[in-house]
Amino acid sequence: MSRGTAIPEVLPAEVLTDAPTYDVVVVGFGIAGGCAALEAARAGARVLLLEKAAVHGGTSSMSGGHFYLGGGTAVQQATGHEDSPEEMYKYLVAVSKEPEHDKIRAYCEGSVEHFEWLEALGFEFERSYYPEKAVIQPGTEGLMYTGNEKVWPYKEQARPAPRGHKVPVPGDTEGTKMVMDLLRERIEEAGVEVRYETGATHLVADGSGAVRGLAWKSFEETGYVAGAVVIAAGGFVMNPDMVAEHTPRLAEKPFTLGSTYDDGLGIRLGASVGAELKHMDEPFITAPFYPPASLITGFVVNQDGERFCNEDGYHSRTSQFVMEQPDSAAYLIVDSEHVEYPKFPLVPLIDGFETITELEDALGLPAGSVAKTLERYNELAAAGEDVDFHKAPEWLAPQGVGPWAVFDLRLGKAMYAGFTLGGLRVSVDGEAQRPDGSVIPGLYAAGACASNIAQDGKGYCSGTQLGEGSFFGRRAGRAAASRGR
């Protein structure tokens, strides 16, 4: 076992003899830890919040600010989009790899209340809708589609509704920082004690296996603290040893999305007292080829020159299909009538080709393979129905006018980015669980080091991690408070 995968030693309860006692000790001040600490304090608990960095925010602060919320939020209502907890539930069950029905039900039925709780921190989602197919709203629009709601087969399993609620900050990074700053203010008002540049190093458990507190380190200083523990210390994308062990595809080429402290220590702390790890082998990896949306009318082929998915899927779903192809190789082909060039191309243009034969030769694809695929694709587009892969009619258009542009979707050529999704097995209230489902008393987890709704890249919707991190963080904080007091 390499150093980066080492499981910390569990310390005996005797080390807590003279340690200060809190009702709840939260590890990590990202969205999940912040929400856990605030809810625990509002429930009357005495709360200590430890953050390894010098500032609050964690990886959450780096993100654009999408929260996946639905069931009839004020933004959905104001923009004329009908949604219900039941339709949201049906959709999330359909896209989940191994749906945990109690969690999805709680998340959907609590979504409107959670939306209102977030706004009560001190901001408002703009009551506006962005109708284009994009990765994130470029402006301050409050709502857009950020998943596969309108994509086959899910559009037939649940009524589509947009649920990507973006905070009113333009651009695609750091929108969440505004929420984290407000969360810090509310946490101070609630009387939470926050210690920066202080990380957890070991859990402390008694003879029965119950977690009683933790050991901490701040520079050269070390100590202990007693209390129920909520781990919200992020994922493991910045730990090369854990990535190599669990999600080797993420180690190969992609640009990793995370902060320095996404080192998986929270997950390893949970494992040290017997918590099960779930979905550790499922990364989120993506290289969006839209916007511009017109590129979606093109077709994607593998190195056999054949289509393998409907090209109108949410970008991480399409990317996951690419990863499954031989050598993770794929190409997007668009004719000159439909091609537009991205302002910030994550998927590079290889070239334009006057003939399909020339294109096949240049890419080393089997002779006649793309020609055959193109002929079939144009037949389907002309008929207005993709019976092969069920791409929505609005994105079907014959690609018959040369030259043809080819964009490179190959892993290592396109700008793939990724992060980890797996984590500790937890109950709907964030209680850490062993492989047999039993609960480890005194230990809770939320956010990127817990396994909840986000399970794999194919089913992912933008906003899921902030949405579930904040929602289940709140539940973990309340549950820990009720145990700690």
Side-chain angles (χ1 to χ4, degrees):
M1 183 184 292
S2 58
R3 191 169 146 269
T5 57
I7 304 298
E9 182 188 359
V10 181
L11 303 179
E14 292 78 54
V15 301
L16 299 175
T17 305
D18 299 317
T21 299
Y22 294 81
D23 297 314
V24 178
V25 185
V26 180
V27 182
F29 194 169
I31 193 79
C35 290
L38 181 54
E39 285 290 74
R42 286 177 173 174
R46 182 169 179 241
V47 182
L48 173 65
L49 175 53
L50 304 180
E51 170 53 54
K52 201 182 277 188
V55 292
H56 66 289
T59 303
S60 302
S61 278
M62 300 161 66
S63 64
H66 264 152
F67 288 80
Y68 194 81
L69 303 164
T73 67
V75 182
Q76 288 179 319
Q77 291 182 16
T79 55
H81 291 96
E82 193 182 331
D83 195 16
S84 68
E86 189 57 34
E87 292 300 325
M88 184 181 178
Y89 170 80
K90 286 195 294 192
Y91 172 72
L92 286 175
V93 168
V95 294
S96 295
K97 187 182 170 190
E98 293 174 6
E100 295 187 55
H101 296 271
D102 58 339
K103 290 180 181 175
I104 296 173
R105 178 70 68 192
Y107 186 63
C108 297
E109 290 181 352
S111 191
V112 171
E113 183 275 334
H114 186 54
F115 167 90
E116 292 164 355
W117 185 92
L118 288 167
E119 288 203 325
L121 294 173
F123 77 98
E124 273 198 352
F125 291 100
E126 193 174 281
R127 270 53 172 170
S128 57
Y129 172 66
Y130 185 70
E132 305 300 321
K133 193 164 175 86
V135 177
I136 194 167
Q137 299 92 312
T140 54
E141 299 90 349
L143 186 65
M144 71 175 273
Y145 278 94
T146 60
N148 292 292
E149 296 87 357
K150 292 198 288 186
V151 177
W152 184 90
Y154 309 112
K155 64 184 178 183
E156 295 177 0
Q157 293 168 294
R159 187 178 62 231
R163 302 190 182 101
H165 290 67
K166 184 184 182 231
V167 300
V169 177
D172 60 359
T173 57
E174 297 195 353
T176 315
K177 187 175 184 302
M178 180 198 76
V179 182
M180 294 306 305
D181 289 346
L182 291 166
L183 196 51
R184 183 192 60 186
E185 290 173 20
R186 302 294 86 80
I187 278 171
E188 284 172 5
E189 290 168 4
V192 173
E193 183 183 334
V194 184
R195 287 192 212 163
Y196 295 102
E197 299 181 313
T198 306
T201 59
H202 302 80
L203 291 178
V204 176
D206 63 23
S208 73
V211 171
R212 298 278 304 280
L214 55 78
W216 57 264
K217 187 173 194 287
S218 179
F219 301 104
E220 299 312 308
E221 193 183 352
T222 58
Y224 305 99
V225 61
V229 175
V230 180
I231 299 175
F236 61 95
V237 73
M238 294 306 191
N239 182 329
D241 295 332
M242 283 184 74
V243 167
E245 180 177 334
H246 298 290
T247 60
R249 304 309 295 274
L250 203 49
E252 286 173 19
K253 306 284 192 324
F255 173 77
T256 47
L257 301 173
S259 75
T260 317
Y261 301 110
D262 282 330
D263 60 2
L265 179 60
I267 294 171
R268 287 179 285 131
L269 285 169
S272 75
V273 290
E276 183 181 1
L277 308 187
K278 293 187 72 178
H279 304 297
M280 293 289 283
D281 60 339
E282 290 287 355
F284 172 96
I285 298 178
T286 191
F289 59 72
Y290 62 83
S294 61
L295 296 180
I296 301 168
T297 64
F299 61 102
V300 175
V301 299
N302 58 19
Q303 61 188 20
D304 295 324
E306 296 171 348
R307 285 178 76 207
F308 52 86
C309 69
N310 44 344
E311 296 85 353
D312 59 336
Y314 171 71
H315 52 87
S316 74
R317 181 174 172 80
T318 304
S319 295
Q320 209 60 44
F321 278 115
V322 172
M323 293 293 137
E324 293 169 3
Q325 299 310 301
D327 300 331
S328 301
Y331 305 93
L332 169 67
I333 302 170
V334 190
D335 80 352
S336 54
E337 266 193 5
H338 298 93
V339 74
E340 281 183 54
Y341 298 99
K343 289 192 182 71
F344 308 105
L346 300 176
V347 174
L349 176 73
I350 294 178
D351 208 345
F353 300 95
E354 294 296 331
T355 69
I356 294 297
T357 304
E358 184 190 338
L359 181 156
E360 291 169 344
D361 288 347
L363 301 180
L365 303 178
S369 62
V370 177
K372 183 180 176 185
T373 299
L374 175 62
E375 184 182 2
R376 173 66 175 166
Y377 184 79
N378 287 345
E379 272 175 27
L380 299 172
E385 187 181 3
D386 176 15
V387 294
D388 293 352
F389 293 97
H390 308 282
K391 184 177 185 171
E394 66 182 292
W395 301 114
L396 280 175
Q399 305 292 312
V401 181
W404 287 266
V406 178
F407 294 87
D408 200 341
L409 302 188
R410 288 177 296 175
L411 184 62
K413 300 295 184 182
M415 183 68 176
Y416 280 89
F419 50 83
T420 58
L421 293 175
L424 301 170
R425 177 180 176 178
V426 290
S427 73
V428 70
D429 287 314
E431 303 158 298
Q433 293 173 298
R434 302 180 183 95
D436 64 2
S438 63
V439 163
I440 299 165
L443 184 65
Y444 304 80
C449 61
S451 178
N452 283 308
I453 291 175
Q455 296 179 338
D456 71 346
K458 274 188 186 168
Y460 193 83
C461 327
S462 283
T464 306
Q465 285 208 308
L466 287 180
E468 70 160 55
S470 52
F471 180 84
F472 290 108
R474 289 176 61 200
R475 289 184 76 108
R478 288 198 299 269
S482 66
R483 176 180 175 81
R485 280 178 302 125

